[in-house]
Each structure stands twice: as structure tokens, then as C-alpha cells.
Amino acid sequence: MGAILFRRLGWLPIVLIGVSIITFAFTYLSAGDPAMHIFWARYGQEMAPSEELLARIRVEAGLDKPIPIQYLNWLGRILRGDLGESFLDKKPIISILARRIPVTLEVGGASLLLALLIALPLGTWAATHPYSWVDSLSLMLSNTGVAIPQYWIGPVLILVFSVHFRLLPTAGWGTPKHLVMPVLTLFLVPLAFFTRMVRAGLLEVLEQDYIRTAHAKGLSRRTVLWRHAFKNAFIPLVSVVGLQITGIIAGSVIVESIFAIPGIGSATYQAVLWRDLPLIQACTLVFVTTAVVANALADVVYVLLNPAISYNG
Amino acid sequence: MRITRSRTTGYVIVSTVVLALALAGCGSAATPTVPPTAKPAAPTAVPPTAVPPTPVPKVLNFGPLLDAKGLSPDMTNFWELYGVVENLTTLDPEGVLVPDLATEWTMTGDKTWEFKLRQGVMMHDGMPFTADVVVFALNRYANLEAARAEMKGATVVAKDDYTVEITTTTHIPYLPQVLTDYTLGIMPAEAYDADGNATTVIGTGPFQYVEWIKDERATVTKFADYWGEPAKVDVINLLRIPDTHTRATMLRTGELDIAEGLPIADAKAMASDPDVNIIETPQTRYRVIYFNNAAPPFDDVRVRKAINYAIDRDSLVQYVLEGYGTIAQGPWLPSLPWGNPDLKGYGYDPDAAKALLKDAGAENLTFNLCTYTSRAELPLLAQAIQAQLADIGVTVNLEVGEYSACQKAVSEGTHEAVLIARGPLYGGYDPTTLYATDYACDGNYNWSSYCTPEFEALLTQAKGTDDVATRYALAQEMEQMLVDEAVDAFLNYYVGLVGTRANVSGFVPHALEMGSPMEMIDIE
């Protein structure tokens, strides 16, 4: 098993290097000259630079060097923890991230936790009472949860809770009330996936021979569920949680913009609007690294929980 | 230090009283930061038992269009828009040049100007506003890489405590207009650290800076010692709400008292809400199709004219912009000092368009129109124009992408027509600046590739004309020339939408997007 873990985690640095190359390449894939983007960010999009100013910007930003050298310089700085400065206000990006990542963690973490807290009992009930009304409800929830886009449900929640009932602040950050609607918007998709996963996993396990054996031994229904079924039924859930962390990150860009939450999602949105390339690169790097690491960790946990699994990659 | 000893003592006394008052009234939710005042310390005479209850501060929640980009005036117009920083001169809401921190000015030489400064002005840090503040602020600006051409390399010296002399590198007859630009806001050396980065905002306006948290909010409070009309509200929370729909909703719920930059759909929806007033603010920014005058098919004036005649400007405003826009025939909003309400443009005349195309032998004209998505209405306008031109047999291939893609095509000279939004006053508050960048042979924003000796001659003449009336008359002549030659197809001007709650009064929209006078705004 150690070999399996080593192989799974051994890939991680290679994947991360690939991630860094792709992230860096954004600078060049985005239409136009990066020096122009720096110019626009500083002077406004409707200004036109002189050639000498552009040349000076290129030297200043190291854009006059060959692209592989630029990449290595950039990678070197990142490995030393220097993500550069924002084009716009020339503040170190690391300080922007340090302020914003905890906010996103709070919203995302609360969403995942709430989704799990509801999905576990709901999925279990649905699996142990198939074709009951609770089962139908869970099915409906799973289907609508993945189908409703966040940019729709967010404004609808605002209309209901802020405009109509005046219960919650429309947008902003700082009090527990500010957390309610963003979490309700973000948790629907994970809730849908988790519920379906718990139900399917449990249904499958409940039909296994060893469960029938356990029942035959005369164990109570509850003991069978808790001692024998859950352990195996929830293993697939682990990898889905890993995947949903990625989903939460993606959703944060929309949700934080709608609800004016100062997290890394809205920072990304602003950075794109202002074409603040270093900040876009840094946010992308944080997002992709989180996704890659979360999935790798999920795989590791998966293996730890279930020794029967092996990777033959 | 310039603070005299007696004055320092005065601060201590006043601050103590203020602190006591604040503590006495600490029941109120948001106690504003009370600035030190230099008024005689009269409250000390009042026995503590007679202290009246502190009135609840008037708080205005304001949803600005954009967040600040920094603290110093050269980085952002935010602190000028919301009443913190002021300039030597300014434009009133009607767009008329008026004194601000300077009271009068004269051109004393070919490149020199003398500005008399307002006396008795106190800055937010308690220091008196004198010539040395202006000398610092403007010299700092003149040495910035991004400084406007008119002020770049200028030198500013103090003649006495309330007189400064500005020497520019070239002859700038409209320098007082240039000084209205937000980048030339007056902020003293005390606001900057040793590296020259601003660490706070110190101004002279009716409101003083308290804090700014990027992408979240800024707070300003009433400055009791403002030289002009005192502000009517005590605190303004400038809340950054990036999503325009959310911003509009917060106005509906009353979480915002004023919201800028409302989307058209939300403004329409709120039109019937008795608690909200929607105010239309005219803007100088316009939408225009830049034709590449240097290459076929638009090197032929008949083709350019045909397109101008074939565009139904009225229905673009009515149906695409849902009424929120005004028709443009030239670059200048008619309400500008040099604007021309009698400009002769192009009415909708598809028959004339067809005749012109036939005459030019371009009946089956096909061209590429580049535009971009960051201004959501541009692709919609492009589609409407595509349909209008199809009526006269012209095929338009739309290239909708990023601004930088259009810019790239222009820089390579491969563009045919580009639909863009253009702010004409970025280069300075004078007609010659837009002409110099967009229509001069060496203009660095000459997307029309326009270059004629007649226009160049007029531009040179206008630039060298000191008399404002003559200068503006020349500007109108040049505008008519651009329109007569159908260099571009000017479409319409922007209209900004600001919403205020019914209990807000005194909000006056500024004709040139330079901010409503914040001290006038009141809330019940």
C-alpha cells in the first residue's frame, strides 16, 4: 500500500509543474501583448501608449527576456513565496490572498459541512426506505440541485429573503447573517451529489452477501447499518467530496460576486475585469493547486479506507 | 512642525471634550470619527451635566460605480468623486469651469501661469492649506511617468504663501481646464511614506478619509472645518458591491441610499417604486464605429456616408438601449462648452445610402465589424446595425471578442470597422486633446487612420489659440469637418443611471461624470 501512496503522491509535483506552466501560459494565451495589459491596467483601457513606454514596461516586468526564462523566473519567485505585485495597486499579491482565502474557506467549508450533514441522514433514509416519499424527495433534490445554476438561485434567494421578507442582508460580509444565502447557494450541488452517492453506495452494500449474513446472525438492523454497511458504503463518498471541493471553488467566483463577499472568488472576478494578470495567475494557481491536492488527498484516504483497492497506473 | 504650541494645546482640550461627548453618547451605533477642530474650545465652559445628548449621526450608504484603485489622486478619481480631495480648479455640475482651491489665475507668459490660492482653508490633518502643499502635489505629479502631457515636466514654485507659478514645457492655453482633472488632486507630502506611496488620503474637501478596504468599503466622515458649505450628512459608507444587479436590489431594500451604475433592466423595474428615484446622468462617453479610412472599402467617402445614412440611430437608442442613451452625430456632447447643438449629421435615409453605394460601385459591400463584450450593449448594437445594413444589401461580418483583439487588428492595420465606446475627455478637458489622439496624422489612438492637411492645419491653429471662444469655434468647425467627411459613424452618448431612496435629497447629477457635490446630499 505504501507503494500505491507513493505512486499517487509522486505524480503530484509533476502535475503541479504542469499546472504552473498552464497558468503561466495564460499570460500569453490571453489575446494581445502582456505589456499592453500592464499599460491598460495602470493608465486606463482607452489610452494608447508610446512605443518607448511599452518598451520600458517590458524591461520593468522582465517581458523582454525569452519566454522560458520568464517562466523560470516566475516559478522561482513563486517557490520562494513571492507571487508578485498586483498591476493595479502595486500591493503584494500574497497579502491580498492572505486576507481573502480565509473568507472563501469559511463560506466553502460551511457549504460542504452543511451538505454532508443533510446528505448523510437523507441518503441513508432513502436507501433503507427505497421508493418511499423520502426517497423520492432525495431524488428530486439530487436532480434539481445539479440543474439549478448558482447565478440563478443566488438572486432568487435575495428576492425571497431580502426583498420580500427583509430577513437577511442582500450582500456584504461580517456577520453570521451574511453567510446564510451564499451557503444556501453553494451547498445545493454538493448536497445533490452527496445524497445520491450515499443512497447508491448504501443500496449496493445492503445487497451484499456479508450484510445478509449479518442479518442472519440475528444482529439488529441498526448494528448492521452502523458496524458493517456504513464503512463500505461511504468510501465512494470520499472521492466525491474531493471533487466537490473543486466545484465549491468554481462556484465561489459567482457566489462571492453576487453577494459582494471579499473572498478569493470575487478577487478573481475583479482581477479578470481589470486584466490584473499577476493576480489572475495567482488566483488560478491557488484554485488549481487546491483542486489537484484535494483530489490527491481524496485518493489517498480512499486507499487507506479500503485496502482492497490498488492503483495500477 | 508648523503647529504652534498654543494650537496644539487647543487640540488636546478639544479632543478631550470630543472624547467625553463621544463616550456620553456611545449608545449610537456608528459614531463617526470626529476630526480635531480648531474652533475656540467653547464647550469647556459648559458644565458636564448640561451636555446635550449627541444627535444620532446621519449615515449615508452609497454604492459607487467603481472601487478606488489606490489612495493617491494620480491612481484614482474616487476620493475626488466622494468629496475628500479637491483640485485648484473644477467643473461645476453644469460643466462650467469654476474656482476651487485656486480663486483666480492668469497667464503670465508663454508657458507660465500664476494661480492665487484660497485662503483660510484647512486640510484634514489640521494643517493650513498653503502654496507649499500645491508645490509638492503638482511637482510630484509632473514627475510621474503617467503624467498628462500638458503637465509632464512642469515646474511649480511658490511666489508667496498663497500664490504659485506653474511653468509648463509647452504652451498650454487651457491649463486651468487641465487642472480640473482628478489626477491633479491636491494632497500634501504628509500623506506619503518615504518611498512615495500614499499611506492615507489627506484632502481639503467636505468629507475626510477614515478607511478604505479594497473591494469591500471605504468610509468618509464630515469635515467640520470645511471651507465651503458644510456637509449635511455625518458619515458616508461607500460600499463596494461589484454585481450591478445586487447593487440595485440593495437600493430597493434600503440597504443603500444611493446606488450608481444601475443596469437598465433594474432601473425599469424600479421606475414604479415610490421609495426610489431614478436619475439619468448624461455622460460624455459615446459609442462610435471607427472606419479604417486608409484602406478599402472605407477609403471611399461615399461608402462611409452610405453607412452613416443606413444606420437608424433613433431605433438603436429606443430598442437596443431601451431609451437610455442620446443620439450622437459627432464626438462632443452638445452640452459641453464647445459642444454644437446645431451640428449637421446624418438622418436615417436608406435610399440615399443605396444611391451612394451604387455611385461608388459597392452595391454588394461586405465588411468586418470588430467589437467586444466587456460593454454588454456593444454586441447587441452591432447585431442591430448588421440587420439595418442588410436592408440596403450590405453584409456585415461580426467579430465579437475582447477589446484587445480589436486593438490588435488596429495596430496591425487589418481592421475595417470597429465599434467601440470612447471617453473623449481622458486626454484633458479640451477639444484639441481628442483631436490630437484620434484624428491627427500622428495620433496614437487614430483608429480611423484619418490624416488630412486641412484638419491638421485647423488643429495646429486651435492649439495655438489662447482665446477660449475662438478655440471652441475652431473645435466646432473641426467636428463638422469630421462629420461631413463621414470619417466615423457616431452613434449615441451614454446615459448613467443613479438611483436614490426617496428620503435622499440634494443629489445633483454632474454633466461630465465628475461627481455630484457630496456636501449637498442630505438624508432624512
Side-chain angles (χ1 to χ4, degrees):
Chain A
M1 196 176 71
I4 297 168
L5 289 184
F6 181 77
R7 210 180 308 159
R8 184 63 187 84
L9 294 180
W11 274 105
L12 208 51
I14 295 163
V15 172
L16 287 177
I17 285 179
V19 164
S20 74
I21 290 175
I22 293 170
T23 308
F24 181 78
F26 269 119
T27 321
Y28 296 93
L29 292 177
S30 65
D33 178 357
M36 268 315 274
H37 286 286
I38 298 182
F39 171 80
W40 280 329
R42 283 190 199 160
Y43 298 84
Q45 201 187 48
E46 284 173 49
M47 308 300 271
S50 62
E51 267 311 311
E52 59 186 290
L53 179 56
L54 272 188
R56 215 162 41 231
I57 289 175
R58 281 196 194 96
V59 173
E60 191 189 309
L63 294 167
D64 52 335
K65 302 200 173 64
I67 288 175
I69 301 289
Q70 288 185 42
Y71 168 72
L72 289 177
N73 285 342
W74 178 77
L75 190 65
R77 283 200 305 273
I78 289 194
L79 291 176
R80 289 194 302 271
D82 173 13
L83 290 167
E85 287 178 347
S86 158
F87 277 173
L88 277 183
D89 55 10
K90 299 191 172 180
K91 290 252 158 59
I93 284 171
I94 200 86
S95 72
I96 299 175
L97 295 184
R99 201 161 56 83
R100 287 172 168 270
I101 288 177
V103 174
T104 301
L105 281 180
E106 197 174 323
V107 181
S111 306
L112 274 184
L113 198 66
L114 187 66
L116 276 175
L117 284 178
I118 296 177
L120 287 174
L122 186 65
T124 305
W125 188 275
T128 51
H129 302 78
Y131 310 114
S132 67
W133 68 270
V134 178
D135 189 22
S136 308
L137 180 79
S138 87
L139 193 70
M140 200 183 77
L141 210 65
S142 308
N143 288 333
T144 50
V146 285
I148 296 178
Q150 286 154 337
Y151 58 78
W152 183 82
I153 190 74
V156 167
L157 288 174
I158 290 177
L159 276 181
V160 173
F161 290 111
S162 304
V163 178
H164 191 73
F165 292 115
R166 305 279 161 114
L167 284 173
L168 296 168
T170 307
W173 186 245
T175 70
K177 275 189 170 182
H178 284 116
L179 204 57
V180 178
M181 290 194 292
V183 167
L184 287 183
T185 308
L186 266 181
F187 99 125
L188 276 182
V189 175
L191 174 67
F193 276 101
F194 295 166
T195 309
R196 210 159 60 180
M197 220 55 210
V198 170
R199 180 183 179 274
L202 203 54
L203 268 180
E204 196 188 319
V205 167
L206 288 178
E207 280 167 16
Q208 302 278 318
D209 288 346
Y210 78 94
I211 295 292
R212 203 178 314 136
T213 311
H215 278 301
K217 279 201 305 190
L219 293 176
S220 75
R221 200 182 151 86
R222 172 169 303 194
T223 316
V224 172
L225 266 182
W226 282 99
R227 293 264 297 273
H228 301 280
F230 280 167
K231 203 174 139 193
N232 288 320
F234 291 167
I235 292 175
L237 190 61
V238 172
S239 53
V240 178
V241 171
L243 281 175
Q244 284 307 309
I245 289 177
T246 319
I248 291 265
I249 290 170
S252 73
V253 176
I254 295 165
V255 170
E256 289 178 6
S257 300
I258 293 176
F259 294 104
I261 295 168
I264 188 170
S266 55
T268 311
Y269 176 73
Q270 291 297 316
V272 170
L273 275 191
W274 291 107
R275 292 173 173 75
D276 194 345
L277 289 178
L279 190 53
I280 298 175
Q281 285 178 332
C283 292
T284 315
L285 206 60
V286 170
F287 283 166
V288 183
T289 307
T290 313
V292 169
V293 171
N295 282 306
L297 284 180
D299 287 352
V300 168
V301 174
Y302 203 75
V303 172
L304 289 178
L305 286 179
N306 191 351
I309 292 167
S310 68
Y311 286 96
N312 296 310
Chain B
M1 294 301 285
R2 285 177 297 175
I3 300 182
T4 57
R5 190 176 178 82
S6 63
R7 193 174 246 187
T8 318
T9 321
Y11 286 151
V12 173
I13 295 169
V14 174
S15 304
T16 316
V17 172
V18 163
L19 189 66
L21 284 171
L23 287 175
C26 66
S28 56
T31 313
T33 322
V34 184
T37 61
K39 291 201 176 102
T44 41
V46 183
T49 48
V51 171
T54 335
V56 179
K58 282 189 178 181
V59 179
L60 185 78
N61 291 312
F62 197 112
L65 178 67
L66 293 171
D67 193 16
K69 284 205 214 171
L71 295 170
S72 61
D74 60 282
M75 293 180 82
T76 183
N77 60 352
F78 193 85
W79 309 110
E80 265 122 327
L81 285 181
Y82 304 114
V84 180
V85 172
E86 295 180 314
N87 289 43
L88 290 189
T89 55
T90 192
L91 302 171
D92 72 5
E94 311 267 275
V96 178
L97 181 75
V98 290
D100 204 0
L101 288 174
T103 51
E104 51 188 288
W105 46 86
T106 41
M107 192 193 269
T108 51
D110 184 38
K111 295 171 187 169
T112 55
W113 285 76
E114 203 173 87
F115 285 81
K116 291 272 180 213
L117 303 183
R118 192 176 292 281
Q119 303 198 12
V121 173
M122 186 184 281
M123 295 191 299
H124 297 155
D125 62 351
M127 298 291 194
F129 166 76
T130 51
D132 52 347
V133 176
V134 177
V135 167
F136 167 80
L138 297 188
N139 279 326
R140 174 186 179 274
Y141 180 81
N143 290 311
L144 291 177
E145 187 182 63
R148 298 208 169 286
E150 295 97 338
M151 278 298 289
K152 197 156 189 171
T155 48
V156 184
V157 291
K159 303 274 275 195
D160 61 52
D161 269 3
Y162 293 99
T163 311
V164 293
E165 186 183 74
I166 302 177
T167 308
T168 52
T169 52
T170 54
H171 177 64
I172 311 285
Y174 56 98
L175 192 68
Q177 279 85 354
V178 173
L179 293 175
T180 63
D181 191 89
Y182 72 83
T183 54
L184 287 148
I186 303 298
M187 192 154 101
E190 285 76 5
Y192 298 90
D193 65 14
D195 299 327
N197 298 315
T199 53
T200 181
V201 185
I202 300 174
T204 51
F207 288 92
Q208 63 175 343
Y209 170 86
V210 176
E211 67 167 347
W212 173 51
I213 303 170
K214 188 177 182 299
D215 294 333
E216 280 183 56
R217 64 173 189 277
T219 308
V220 298
T221 57
K222 176 179 175 172
F223 180 53
D225 290 318
Y226 180 52
W227 58 267
E229 178 113 350
K232 296 186 170 69
V233 299
D234 299 294
V235 183
I236 304 178
N237 291 316
L238 295 149
L239 304 169
R240 171 71 184 138
I241 311 295
D243 186 83
T244 51
H245 178 73
T246 306
R247 205 185 302 148
T249 307
M250 291 176 77
L251 182 71
R252 276 178 79 184
T253 61
E255 289 162 274
L256 288 177
D257 300 309
I258 300 181
E260 294 182 331
L262 298 178
I264 289 171
D266 289 275
K268 289 219 136 176
M270 284 189 286
S272 57
D273 188 337
D275 294 330
V276 173
N277 296 320
I278 303 291
I279 299 167
E280 292 184 26
T281 62
Q283 299 187 343
T284 55
R285 176 184 293 282
Y286 54 88
R287 304 177 183 89
V288 59
I289 297 176
Y290 277 173
F291 297 122
N292 184 351
N293 283 234
F298 295 116
D299 54 349
D300 187 330
V301 64
R302 290 168 296 187
V303 178
R304 298 195 303 264
K305 277 191 175 167
I307 304 299
N308 265 291
Y309 277 123
I311 293 172
D312 183 356
R313 290 174 172 77
D314 192 44
S315 46
L316 292 183
V317 169
Q318 285 312 313
Y319 302 113
V320 182
L321 303 177
E322 302 195 45
Y324 293 106
T326 51
I327 290 174
Q329 293 287 357
W332 304 117
L333 193 69
S335 60
L336 278 164
W338 58 88
N340 182 4
D342 303 320
L343 185 71
K344 284 181 281 299
Y346 298 88
Y348 178 52
D349 191 346
D351 294 330
K354 277 187 210 159
L356 279 161
L357 284 183
K358 193 164 178 228
D359 192 30
E363 287 105 325
N364 299 315
L365 177 68
T366 299
F367 71 91
N368 297 326
L369 179 63
C370 190
T371 194
Y372 47 96
T373 51
S374 59
R375 290 185 178 269
E377 78 286 356
L378 291 183
L380 302 178
L381 282 169
Q383 284 170 16
I385 290 166
Q386 185 184 39
Q388 290 178 358
L389 295 185
D391 289 348
I392 59 158
V394 172
T395 312
V396 181
N397 298 321
L398 295 184
E399 295 172 338
V400 180
E402 271 206 65
Y403 174 85
S404 54
C406 296
Q407 190 271 336
K408 195 160 174 257
V410 171
S411 68
E412 290 163 0
T414 56
H415 67 301
E416 292 185 329
V418 188
L419 170 61
I420 68 163
R422 186 84 176 117
L425 295 179
Y426 282 94
Y429 189 72
D430 190 82
T432 60
T433 53
L434 178 84
Y435 291 153
T437 52
D438 289 32
Y439 299 103
C441 296
D442 62 349
N444 60 7
Y445 206 96
N446 192 344
W447 286 27
S448 318
S449 310
Y450 177 71
C451 180
T452 65
E454 296 82 10
F455 193 86
E456 292 287 305
L458 280 179
L459 181 57
T460 312
Q461 194 190 338
K463 275 182 172 171
T465 304
D466 293 354
D467 178 61
V468 173
T470 319
R471 194 180 176 83
Y472 289 174
L474 281 169
Q476 293 192 351
E477 195 182 325
M478 292 161 83
E479 185 186 32
Q480 189 65 61
M481 187 181 268
L482 293 176
V483 175
D484 288 346
E485 292 177 36
V487 175
D488 297 323
F490 297 93
L491 302 175
N492 42 60
Y493 302 103
Y494 276 72
V495 165
L497 292 170
V498 178
T500 62
R501 297 288 296 176
N503 59 347
V504 171
S505 60
F507 180 86
V508 185
H510 195 287
L512 301 169
E513 304 168 66
M514 290 176 72
S516 170
M518 297 304 282
E519 67 274 19
M520 310 285 285
I521 299 174
D522 200 359
I523 183 168
E524 281 164 31

